[in-house]
Amino acid sequence: QVQLVEAGGGLVQAGGSLRLSCAASGSIFSINAMGWYRQAPGKQRELVATITSGGSTVYAESVKGRFTISRDNAKSTVYLQMNSLKPEDTAVYYCNVGLDTVGAYRSANYWGQGTQVTVSS
């Protein structure tokens, strides 16, 4: 049993900041890559940022220089610090975690419930 709990979404004015968090719990053996995706109304879900177990990061071009992804392995938590927010950042943000559960031979991906981020102009 694995659970991902997201928090930190909300309403903010353009230029403001928010920090999202996603905490994993359950029968976890190890955690591999962690990432954030977002989906705006009528749009496909897109990659925002990822971070490997070694700390390597990848960002979408649209958020480079504004967003920062990080992780706290002791807490099995991934964060997304979002600065200089723009209206086009408005979307539901989903956490994705690749992990191995107890008794499993291969990694599987798990999704958080999603958290709404709304940026007003």
Side-chain angles (χ1 to χ4, degrees):
Q1 184 179 8
V2 175
Q3 182 180 16
L4 302 182
V5 179
E6 297 184 34
L11 174 65
V12 65
Q13 293 183 333
S17 299
L18 287 172
R19 190 170 90 145
L20 307 182
S21 65
C22 174
S25 63
S27 301
I28 300 171
F29 180 76
S30 62
I31 298 178
N32 304 308
M34 309 177 83
W36 291 94
Y37 295 73
R38 66 187 182 186
Q39 187 167 24
K43 302 293 182 65
Q44 291 185 312
R45 189 171 299 184
E46 65 176 353
L47 172 70
V48 177
T50 61
I51 183 168
T52 68
S53 60
S56 297
T57 58
V58 174
Y59 294 94
E61 287 294 329
S62 60
V63 307
K64 284 183 178 178
R66 299 188 298 119
F67 291 9
T68 302
I69 187 170
S70 62
R71 61 192 287 168
D72 184 335
N73 292 325
K75 296 181 178 180
S76 298
T77 300
V78 62
Y79 303 92
L80 185 68
Q81 179 66 48
M82 304 184 292
N83 298 325
S84 301
L85 283 162
K86 305 174 181 179
E88 49 263 46
D89 294 319
T90 296
V92 177
Y93 284 69
Y94 296 91
C95 172
N96 180 269
V97 177
L99 58 82
D100 298 326
T101 56
V102 175
Y105 280 92
R106 63 179 65 190
S107 179
N109 291 323
Y110 293 84
W111 291 93
Q113 81 280 8
T115 184
Q116 177 70 48
V117 172
T118 302
V119 184
S120 64
S121 59

